[in-house]
Amino acid sequence: MDRYGGSRARGLKIGLRERLAREKDTVIKDWGGRLPIALVYPNSYYIGMSNLGLHALYSLLNIYRDVVCERVFWERENQERKNPPLSLESRRPLSDFKAVAFTVSYEVDYFNVVSILKASGIPVFSSDRDESHPLVLAGGPCITANPMPLAQFIDVFGIGEAEKLLPGLLPTIIDNINEKRENLLKLLASVPGMYAPQLPQATPVMRQWTENLDNFPVSSVILTRDTELGELYLIEVERGCSRRCRFCLVSTAFRPMRFRSVGILLAQAEEGLRHRKRIGLVGPAVSDYPHLEKLLAGLRQMGAQFSMSSMRASNL
Ligand code: SF4
């Protein structure tokens, strides 16, 4: 009998092992002396592994020598059976991690964030947690647009883009994770772009964004066919959108619109073609990419098939 009640949990672990075995380029790190961070996508593996933001975060976090980042997903069958979520890489429960970081791309997943904490035996309200519990963070497009629906449940929010937030955030967590929780939150709240909702906020939190996307190429990091876009090698072409439709998160969370250079994208595509025949060009309005003809000509020259995540009819 294990801590989660025997055969049911063992079955879940076998499932995770099989899933892991079907992946390429998973990062497996020893936990010794490192800060373990659970990167939680609050929905299924099938959906989450097609999310480039998750790939980027996994890569950015694991670049740090002092950090071991593992992924956690929330599967419908596990919810129904009340199985606790386990990390994919080492099959550990969330309570074993020092920090639990949610990346939230869709508003409906707010509910799953709370369910995941509950299923993991972690007190769901931030005010009920202390330094004996994992630090609970959240970021992503929905959080950047409006963190308040989760304000009671999250210790600290990252407002903006991870490339800009992590260099200030991670050293602060690594150096102070064993501090009294209140002290840690005060330190984190002083990092640009971080918002600790339990603390009084003296000045507005400034959204952090990356000026030059070419410094941070984003593409598929782990390859698996067990996901919606598993046959594609995904590449982020641009960020933000100049159209500013009032209903759209992109127009607020990723302003201003920024583009990667063609040379960088083609180099990524060349790498991608070693793994997949089809390149997925990802962006809020890929048809607005100013060098689209040059990019597509380059892809055709390489013999690549390609798909675009979005096109505006007016540009066709
Ligand atoms: S991504 Fe689409 S919906 Fe959003 S602002 Fe741009 S054009 Fe509008």
Side-chain angles (χ1 to χ4, degrees), residues 88-105:
L88 198 53
E89 285 79 357
S90 69
R91 298 173 294 282
R92 285 179 163 98
L94 287 188
S95 52
D96 280 8
F97 289 81
K98 287 285 189 184
V100 171
F102 289 93
T103 175
V104 187
S105 296

Side-chain angles (χ1 to χ4, degrees), residues 42 49 82 90 131 138 168 186 201 242-243 281 306 314 316:
M49 284 305 290
K82 300 205 183 323
S90 69
E131 51 282 3
K186 280 182 188 156
Q201 196 66 37
S242 56
R243 309 279 176 169
L281 302 173
F306 55 84
S314 58
L316 296 178

Side-chain angles (χ1 to χ4, degrees), residues 118-192:
K118 206 169 170 187
S120 301
I122 296 172
V124 294
F125 292 107
S126 174
S127 55
D128 292 338
R129 294 192 293 265
D130 59 24
E131 51 282 3
S132 67
H133 302 110
L135 176 74
V136 180
L137 305 100
C142 290
I143 300 298
T144 296
N146 180 15
M148 296 320 287
L150 287 177
Q152 287 182 288
F153 310 103
I154 301 296
D155 299 324
V156 64
F157 292 108
I159 306 298
E161 298 172 7
E163 294 92 343
K164 197 81 173 185
L165 290 165
L166 292 182
L169 173 65
L170 278 182
T172 310
I173 298 179
I174 291 167
D175 293 345
N176 302 286
I177 191 66
N178 295 321
E179 282 283 331
K180 284 259 171 232
R181 183 55 49 90
E182 196 188 338
N183 295 343
L184 175 60
L185 292 184
K186 280 182 188 156
L187 289 167
L188 291 173
S190 68
V191 174

Side-chain angles (χ1 to χ4, degrees), residues 56-128:
L57 275 168
Y58 186 69
S59 169
L60 287 166
L61 288 166
N62 273 315
I63 280 173
Y64 284 79
R65 240 166 46 104
D66 295 339
V67 168
V68 48
C69 169
E70 301 190 354
R71 291 159 295 155
V72 176
F73 298 91
W74 188 227
E75 307 295 342
R76 184 188 294 266
E77 58 270 25
N78 294 340
Q79 296 170 40
E80 285 162 1
R81 292 176 195 156
K82 300 205 183 323
N83 282 329
L86 303 178
S87 72
L88 198 53
E89 285 79 357
S90 69
R91 298 173 294 282
R92 285 179 163 98
L94 287 188
S95 52
D96 280 8
F97 289 81
K98 287 285 189 184
V100 171
F102 289 93
T103 175
V104 187
S105 296
Y106 303 103
E107 290 93 338
V108 287
D109 289 343
Y110 282 149
F111 299 101
N112 292 344
V113 170
V114 180
S115 301
I116 290 167
L117 290 174
K118 206 169 170 187
S120 301
I122 296 172
V124 294
F125 292 107
S126 174
S127 55
D128 292 338

Side-chain angles (χ1 to χ4, degrees), residues 241 243-245 247-248 250-251 284 312:
C241 181
R243 309 279 176 169
R244 297 198 179 180
C245 306
F247 59 86
C248 177
V250 172
S251 63
R312 286 184 59 89

Side-chain angles (χ1 to χ4, degrees), residues 36 48 99 120 124 139 153 160 182 192 194 203 206 223 225 243 284 302:
S120 301
V124 294
F153 310 103
E182 196 188 338
M194 300 310 294
T203 51
M206 300 302 290
L223 292 157
R225 297 196 192 273
R243 309 279 176 169
M302 289 179 192

